[in-house]
Amino acid sequence: MLSGDMKVPLIDLPLQYAGIRDEIRRAMDDVLDPQQLILGPAVATFEEELAAFCGVKHALGVSSGTDALLAVLMAMGIGPGDEVICPAFTFFATGGSIARTGARPVFVDIVPETFNIDPQQARKAITKKTRAIMPVHLYGQLADVETLDAMCAEHGLAMIEDGAQAIGALRHGKQMGAYSAAACLSFYPTKNLGAMGDAGAILTNDDALFETCRKVRVHGSGHTYYHEMVGGMFRMAAVQAAALRVKLARLCEWNARRHEIAGRYTKAFDAAGLGKRLVTPKHEADSFHVHHQYVIRVQHRDAVKARLQEHGVASAVFYPLGLHLQQCFANLGYKAGDMPETERAT
């Protein structure tokens, strides 16, 4: 039990910021003083550094992780009459971005041990209308991208990775984007690499797709006033890039620290002999889990959550309802029982 008034918050952003405050302020002043506030040199430099960090040819800074997903889908021409397969257990942006293009999100179940998309369920969901598969690297561990890549090649599909929670994660020594057409990142402030507001990025090794995404980012013109297509306004603010550059230099250290603390939790739970009453996160073989969240399964979850709160330890449920059962997707015809592992997880 914690002593006195000590509390353990779910997320402690002020603690991280305190250690880099002066450097963040200097970096942002370097943007604010010349008033180069949208895109510009700060964003271009961050894009170069991010691409190098992630081991891809191109990185494109955008306004949010959600907009990164939407921009890639738009750049690929995915729209009405198309289908995109994604997991039912994920943050809303995954399915919502697909629906916003007019395409149909096709939800499939997850592997219970990792909470990531089940490749076999994805295979069963492929139809003549399928254009892409969108795996989500949930909680910071990469999905089975090798199996999904082979599946996409077999059926002529694109793979778009929703990597909002998994920057820096590794699978067999490779990061996101090694197999896919594009991977999308979120820099929402609570992420492992968090901005001072909303921001995101697109990673790709495809030169043509990168150029199209760059145009889609600014109303299909790339900022020329000549519009080849209908895009969106998905520009990254320069102050976000400035802050992200400071944090990117520390990301490997921070991810390693998360991994270390997760290991400490798991060791302590194992030593407590909780057995089947509590399931700790599984690490896939030859992978590096960056633990955006440390997620456990526990009997009597809500009672345990309340007990933790009594003792000053915050926790949360990620996520309480699968996308297939969300009201806005009722027209897709899914019903309770269609995604048993998702429903158990929720």
Side-chain angles (χ1 to χ4, degrees), residues 233-248:
M233 186 48 73
F234 304 138
R235 299 177 300 197
M236 176 181 275
V239 290
Q240 303 299 357
L244 286 164
R245 288 187 65 205
V246 174
K247 291 188 172 187
L248 182 62

Side-chain angles (χ1 to χ4, degrees), residues 2-337:
L2 300 176
S3 60
D5 296 326
M6 183 177 177
K7 304 290 184 182
V8 178
L10 186 65
I11 299 165
D12 195 352
L13 293 179
L15 179 65
Q16 182 196 69
Y17 180 61
I20 55 175
R21 180 182 184 277
D22 292 343
E23 192 173 350
I24 291 279
R25 292 293 185 90
R26 287 194 299 269
M28 295 178 77
D29 281 344
D30 287 343
V31 170
L32 294 172
D33 288 344
Q35 286 291 285
Q36 294 177 314
L37 301 177
I38 301 292
L39 298 179
V43 174
T45 302
F46 171 66
E47 289 170 339
E48 292 173 3
E49 293 174 353
L50 180 64
F53 178 90
C54 295
V56 296
K57 288 181 67 175
H58 304 291
L60 190 75
V62 294
S63 41
S64 71
T66 299
D67 288 342
L69 293 169
L70 181 58
V72 170
L73 290 163
M74 293 173 70
M76 290 183 175
I78 291 173
D82 296 329
E83 295 178 350
V84 177
I85 296 168
C86 71
F89 189 64
T90 178
F91 180 62
F92 181 79
T94 311
S97 298
I98 297 165
R100 285 173 65 187
T101 69
R104 178 187 177 93
V106 176
F107 300 121
V108 299
D109 216 346
I110 57 169
V111 178
E113 292 81 10
T114 64
F115 304 105
N116 282 329
I117 189 170
D118 184 335
Q120 301 314 313
Q121 297 301 317
R123 179 179 291 278
K124 293 176 184 177
I126 295 172
T127 72
K128 292 181 179 179
K129 296 181 179 181
T130 306
R131 290 282 308 279
I133 299 177
M134 187 181 286
V136 180
H137 306 308
L138 207 63
Y139 304 140
Q141 181 163 218
L142 299 188
D144 185 354
V145 287
E146 297 93 345
T147 299
L148 293 169
D149 175 57
M151 192 183 306
C152 287
E154 178 185 349
H155 294 276
L157 309 176
M159 180 162 62
I160 305 167
E161 297 174 78
D162 182 340
Q165 301 181 4
I167 185 170
L170 299 171
R171 182 178 172 88
H172 306 313
K174 296 181 179 180
Q175 293 198 63
M176 287 178 289
Y179 297 94
S180 64
C184 299
L185 304 177
S186 169
F187 303 129
Y188 186 76
T190 60
K191 295 297 194 294
N192 293 34
L193 180 64
M196 300 292 111
D198 271 318
I202 298 164
L203 308 176
T204 184
N205 290 308
D206 186 319
D207 295 341
L209 180 61
F210 170 73
E211 285 301 323
T212 304
C213 286
R214 188 179 62 80
K215 293 172 184 175
V216 166
R217 178 171 66 175
V218 188
H219 289 307
S221 73
H223 233 326
T224 65
Y225 296 107
Y226 294 91
H227 303 271
E228 300 173 30
M229 64 201 77
V230 174
M233 186 48 73
F234 304 138
R235 299 177 300 197
M236 176 181 275
V239 290
Q240 303 299 357
L244 286 164
R245 288 187 65 205
V246 174
K247 291 188 172 187
L248 182 62
R250 294 168 168 81
L251 184 58
C252 285
E253 174 189 345
W254 288 347
N255 279 346
R257 179 67 171 153
R258 284 176 177 265
H259 195 77
E260 175 193 347
I261 292 171
R264 187 186 305 169
Y265 282 144
T266 298
K267 185 177 180 180
F269 284 134
D270 290 344
L274 295 175
K276 295 182 179 179
R277 289 183 293 164
L278 187 149
V279 180
T280 55
K282 176 187 176 182
H283 290 200
E284 291 272 60
D286 194 21
S287 70
F288 181 71
H289 193 325
V290 297
H291 290 285
H292 174 57
Q293 309 291 347
Y294 183 90
V295 178
I296 63 171
R297 292 178 183 264
V298 63
Q299 292 180 3
H300 313 297
R301 179 189 69 189
D302 294 342
V304 171
K305 186 176 184 298
R307 183 73 176 203
L308 286 168
Q309 191 63 47
E310 289 175 14
H311 291 286
V313 180
S315 62
V317 176
F318 292 75
Y319 301 92
L321 187 66
L323 294 190
H324 66 299
L325 298 180
Q326 295 287 350
Q327 181 179 346
C328 64
F329 292 134
N331 63 303
L332 299 179
Y334 295 100
K335 61 184 184 303

